[in-house]
Amino acid sequence: MRVDLLRTEPTARLPLRWGTYRGRYLAGLVLIIGGLVGLQASSTTFLYPIVTGLTLHTVGWWIMPAAGWRRNLVVFPCGVQVCLLLAGPQSMWTLVIPYLAWLLVRHRPITSYVTVLFVIANGVIMVQLSSEYAMMLPALAISGVVVVTSAWIARQIAGIRRIPSILQEDHR
């Protein structure tokens, strides 16, 4: 399992200053998604979820195992994007921003970026289905499935393009 993880996930090879790869990956993922969903509970009279959701979302990006510049680069655009989701299901197309951030933070090759088309298509479909904020949770759930499936396909594309492990080793 560990050998396969090292071959397919470039971020698993990065030296970490603290924590484990799996621990940071899972905690980051939970905080990113939890912050995004939690922020949706806010309203004009109840602003606390905006602060907590945005904070959790930001911390999630910061602890993901990745090159530091990649994690720092995505925090601001993704923070703005989760706030844009407060507009309702018609803003599902903005999920392109965190999806591209995910591909960057996970060190996916440029060829896997073609999967962003699925996320864009999802946004177009969500606009057609509903513009009422009452449909936000179902829209988030459907969009979540599309984003996760797209990320999985991007990982498969990255796996196909990976260099055989014998070529990656330094034989000095």
Side-chain angles (χ1 to χ4, degrees):
M1 175 66 179
R2 180 73 179 147
V3 173
D4 183 49
L5 182 66
L6 288 175
R7 271 196 225 147
T8 59
E9 289 299 335
T11 54
R13 291 188 292 267
L14 294 173
L16 301 176
R17 293 183 187 185
W18 60 273
T20 63
Y21 171 81
R22 186 174 300 258
R24 285 179 59 177
Y25 171 78
L26 292 175
L29 193 59
V30 166
L31 290 171
I32 290 167
I33 295 169
L36 182 145
V37 173
L39 190 133
Q40 300 308 309
S42 67
S43 69
T44 54
T45 58
F46 187 52
L47 300 176
Y48 180 71
I50 291 178
V51 174
T52 57
L54 201 50
T55 301
L56 293 175
H57 188 77
T58 299
V59 170
W61 283 112
W62 278 339
I63 66 173
M64 285 297 288
W69 70 269
R70 292 173 186 252
R71 292 178 304 196
N72 290 328
L73 183 67
V74 303
V75 167
F76 181 74
C78 290
V80 170
Q81 185 275 329
V82 294
C83 292
L84 289 175
L85 284 178
L86 291 172
Q90 67 270 19
S91 62
M92 284 296 127
W93 67 270
T94 65
L95 287 173
V96 166
I97 297 167
Y99 182 70
L100 290 172
W102 180 260
L103 296 177
L104 179 70
V105 167
R106 300 301 293 158
H107 295 231
R108 297 291 182 239
I110 196 74
T111 55
S112 65
Y113 282 57
V114 70
T115 58
V116 76
L117 295 174
F118 300 127
V119 181
I120 293 169
N122 172 71
V124 170
I125 292 168
M126 286 298 124
V127 168
Q128 303 304 316
L129 292 180
S130 176
S131 62
E132 297 295 322
Y133 195 80
M135 293 299 296
M136 188 59 176
L137 285 179
L140 273 176
I142 292 166
S143 298
V145 169
V146 171
V147 168
V148 168
T149 303
S150 299
W152 183 81
I153 293 169
R155 181 179 182 197
Q156 299 310 306
I157 291 171
I160 291 169
R161 294 213 53 231
R162 76 170 181 255
I163 299 169
S165 61
I166 194 163
L167 297 177
Q168 292 176 344
E169 295 174 12
D170 189 12
H171 297 291
R172 291 184 192 179

